[in-house]
Amino acid sequence: MIETKVFKIYILIICSLVIVMPIHAQEVLVPVGIPAYGTKQVKKSAEIDTQPDTLELPFFDDFARTGPLPYVPFWVDEYAFINTSYTLNPISIGVATMDAIDAEGYLNGTGSLPFESDFLTSVPINLDYPGRTDIYLSFFYEPMGLGDDPEVWDSLTVELFAPDSNQWERVWRQTGSQNDTFKQVFIHVSEERFLKKGFQFRFMNYASHQSSSIDQRGNVDHWHVDYVYLDTARSSNVTAINDVSMISPMPSILKNYESIPWQHFPRAYLTELKPALEIRYRNNDTTVRNVTRILKITDLAYLETDSVNGGAVNVQPGVLSVFNFPYNYPFIFYDADSTVFEVMSYLVTEDLDYKFNDTVRRFQQFFNYYAYDDGSAENGYGLRGGGTANATVAFQFNSYRKDTLRGVKMFFNRTQDDASQDYFRIGIWNHDKSTSGPGELIYTSQPVQPQYEEELNKFVTYEINDTILVLDDEFYVGWIKTTERMLNVGFDRNMVNNDKIFYNLGQGWLNSGFSGSLMIRPIMGKALPSDPVGIEHSPEKIFKIYPNPANTYFTLDLQDVVNPADWSVTLYDLQGKTVYINRADQQQHPVSHLPTGIYILSLDHNGIFKASRKLMIVR
């Protein structure tokens, strides 16, 4: 094991050389903390209940399937976090991130000495190939990425399982460092004790906490794993992969924001809409490959779809390619409070290519708020130290129409023991044209506290109901501290808007020195439901359909919906024709009159589109 006496002595020597400096007022970024799942979901680090059947070779997973949990048929535990936001240039879209949190989303350990943290363990594999010398396990790994860098005494390891002796054996170890480049590793699996049915392999990381302050002690020491491949007839000299893969998520169709209120979009359309959408893909092969690029945009409320063919192109081996899709989607500005568009791009590749990583999509949401962030926190942000008890942070927004500010959504980054539970006040400032920064403080809330919820990247809503704030053009949303400990608001490293982040330690406003966006969203428009602090629920979690496929009827489970009689359900065929409509609170919805096929189910609340799903009818 790593924690030998010699290693402990080495760590103590290192720690003894650290000079304790006085804490001055400063901006602080800390590791993203404790992304736990809801009570209705599987916990992030919970082991699965059933053991899958033994797999046959080849074993391959590049984590391109939708996360956030590892793909159950391939992995027996669910400690790793499957995501597309913690790295800039993965081998393909999606990575498995290993960190420092446990089954409940809390820290696996709190000491400065390395402790065992996450596991990523394969299902049993049939490796009954006696005498074979051409079996290799390969993978790519990257420490840190956009997360926290593991220290030199932290590590990522690989262990192999020998079925007959029921023993795990360590065969590879890499110490921590700062890095943003993936490296490939080949592990030769040739020993007879491993060449058995029931063979397994696993990744495991060691993490540690070097901060002495619990309000800064969060989820640290990130390792990212990609493109795990085990098979026969392989060699460490043959690194080619027959694959052209997407490597980055589908971007927002908006220039400045990730999301704006639907009622504001008609005025923002000409200046806010991007003329082209960037996709990024890579040829992982050693030969020239030909791909065709397609873009599709669909209004999920009315199922209006527009497709763009980006043409066929030869992709050079090993080259990361960037293509800007020009498009001219015919937006219809119908009267609704919200809507969602599916924006999807995919590559038409050869049959031998792996198909899960050739498509990227995003659901472009137009709800009732402005957002710069993409919904995923890579760090926590705050002001900390002496002199920050009354410090302020302000984030600039620009409203495309005069409207009422109804509330503020905030995402808080958890730390050890939920340390950042200090009270704060929400502040709203107008714009000072002379300084191009925050001006007069026009609103302060009553003292409130951060709220932490058991679900990944979920925002808390603070309603503004004690005054009427009608805003137009530039304004600022932020917070006013009451203690010297940091508030720890979510910080998105992928969306760079620090020119709009200002902080004031008492000597005037300064721009943030950290590249990214605060996870703060002002809510505009109609009055909110009478729920002062609540968690945002995505449309995809409003309801469930069963059975699906359906035969003679289907049932809707409206989850936690209040007043289900105010909701209606509509079925459309693939030509967009309405074939069924009814109140959503009916016990069963008959479909025996409809032919076999695929339908789109739309759920509306008081005539406003909220979510849609595919429903299959078979007989």
Side-chain angles (χ1 to χ4, degrees), residues 14-33:
I14 293 294
C15 293
S16 68
L17 296 177
V18 176
I19 300 175
V20 180
M21 300 296 291
I23 300 176
H24 299 292
Q26 58 184 326
E27 283 189 294
V28 178
L29 275 189
V30 299
V32 64

Side-chain angles (χ1 to χ4, degrees), residues 480-534:
I480 304 167
K481 294 184 61 180
T482 61
T483 74
E484 293 184 347
R485 294 203 299 186
M486 67 181 296
L487 186 58
N488 224 325
V489 173
F491 195 77
D492 176 11
R493 291 277 301 278
N494 291 289
M495 305 299 158
V496 178
N497 288 288
N498 48 297
D499 62 323
K500 301 176 179 67
I501 303 174
F502 296 82
Y503 67 97
N504 192 333
L505 301 175
Q507 293 82 36
W509 292 101
L510 299 172
N511 258 133
S512 173
F514 295 120
S515 295
S517 295
L518 294 173
M519 297 180 71
I520 298 178
R521 301 172 172 182
I523 305 170
M524 316 294 290
K526 295 181 180 180
L528 302 179
S530 56
D531 182 15
V533 176

Side-chain angles (χ1 to χ4, degrees), residues 270-410:
L270 294 178
T271 57
E272 185 67 33
L273 202 64
K274 290 177 181 175
L277 296 176
E278 179 184 281
I279 62 168
R280 302 169 76 237
Y281 53 94
R282 179 191 289 112
N283 178 5
N284 292 312
D285 209 337
T286 55
T287 61
V288 176
R289 304 293 299 278
N290 185 271
V291 300
T292 300
R293 302 156 301 191
I294 305 293
L295 175 71
K296 290 180 67 175
I297 303 178
T298 303
D299 182 340
L300 294 182
Y302 290 94
L303 303 179
E304 294 289 341
T305 297
D306 188 60
S307 297
V308 180
N309 190 319
V313 63
N314 287 329
V315 187
Q316 297 299 314
V319 172
L320 190 159
S321 300
V322 178
F323 178 65
N324 286 291
F325 255 113
Y327 70 100
N328 187 21
Y329 185 83
F331 287 96
I332 300 173
F333 301 115
Y334 44 83
D335 185 20
D337 285 346
S338 62
T339 193
V340 179
F341 293 81
E342 182 189 53
V343 185
M344 176 176 66
S345 180
Y346 61 91
L347 305 173
V348 180
T349 59
E350 299 174 31
D351 291 341
L352 56 83
D353 274 34
Y354 183 64
K355 297 302 180 183
F356 280 100
N357 60 26
D358 61 12
T359 302
V360 290
R361 60 166 48 86
R362 75 175 289 129
F363 292 97
Q364 186 73 51
Q365 299 176 345
F366 293 92
F367 291 162
N368 62 348
Y369 56 79
Y370 283 95
Y372 291 111
D373 67 272
D374 65 5
S376 175
E378 285 73 51
N379 286 101
Y381 173 91
L383 304 176
R384 190 178 187 279
T388 65
N390 298 299
T392 54
V393 176
F395 199 17
Q396 182 183 31
F397 292 86
N398 177 66
S399 179
Y400 280 99
R401 58 174 272 185
K402 184 178 291 186
D403 208 345
T404 304
L405 180 68
R406 297 296 185 178
V408 176
K409 292 179 179 292
M410 300 180 73

Side-chain angles (χ1 to χ4, degrees), residues 137 139 156-160 168-174 185 187 200-205 225:
L137 168 68
F139 60 93
L156 177 69
T157 65
V158 173
E159 297 180 339
L160 305 183
W168 287 96
E169 298 181 26
R170 181 163 303 165
V171 295
W172 180 86
R173 175 178 177 267
Q174 177 61 47
V185 174
I187 296 175
Q200 291 175 271
F201 63 92
R202 71 183 180 189
F203 299 89
M204 189 260 287
N205 71 306
V225 178

Side-chain angles (χ1 to χ4, degrees), residues 29-32 83 85-88 97-99 142-150 177-180 219-224 377-380 491 493-494:
L29 275 189
V30 299
V32 64
N83 68 93
S85 61
Y86 275 46
T87 62
L88 285 177
T97 296
M98 305 180 72
D99 46 37
E142 176 193 56
M144 188 174 76
L146 294 178
D148 179 69
D149 58 301
S177 66
Q178 290 187 352
N179 206 331
D180 59 0
N219 187 13
V220 295
D221 301 336
H222 295 88
W223 296 88
H224 315 288
E378 285 73 51
N379 286 101
F491 195 77
R493 291 277 301 278
N494 291 289

Side-chain angles (χ1 to χ4, degrees), residues 351-480:
D351 291 341
L352 56 83
D353 274 34
Y354 183 64
K355 297 302 180 183
F356 280 100
N357 60 26
D358 61 12
T359 302
V360 290
R361 60 166 48 86
R362 75 175 289 129
F363 292 97
Q364 186 73 51
Q365 299 176 345
F366 293 92
F367 291 162
N368 62 348
Y369 56 79
Y370 283 95
Y372 291 111
D373 67 272
D374 65 5
S376 175
E378 285 73 51
N379 286 101
Y381 173 91
L383 304 176
R384 190 178 187 279
T388 65
N390 298 299
T392 54
V393 176
F395 199 17
Q396 182 183 31
F397 292 86
N398 177 66
S399 179
Y400 280 99
R401 58 174 272 185
K402 184 178 291 186
D403 208 345
T404 304
L405 180 68
R406 297 296 185 178
V408 176
K409 292 179 179 292
M410 300 180 73
F411 172 76
F412 296 97
N413 180 43
R414 285 181 98 168
T415 53
Q416 182 185 343
D417 300 329
D418 289 344
S420 52
Q421 279 286 279
D422 302 303
Y423 282 92
F424 70 97
R425 296 176 184 268
I426 294 172
I428 310 295
W429 294 261
N430 63 18
H431 180 65
D432 187 338
K433 292 183 179 179
S434 64
T435 63
S436 295
E440 178 187 0
L441 180 65
I442 59 177
Y443 172 81
T444 55
S445 72
Q446 294 296 316
V448 292
Q449 285 181 294
Q451 301 289 324
Y452 302 102
E453 300 297 327
E454 291 187 346
E455 197 163 348
L456 175 66
N457 290 325
K458 286 299 172 183
F459 286 73
V460 175
T461 297
Y462 296 93
E463 186 176 3
I464 297 176
N465 55 14
D466 54 350
T467 188
I468 301 297
L469 285 176
V470 179
L471 302 175
D472 196 7
D473 298 325
E474 292 92 353
F475 64 95
Y476 299 78
V477 179
W479 67 88
I480 304 167

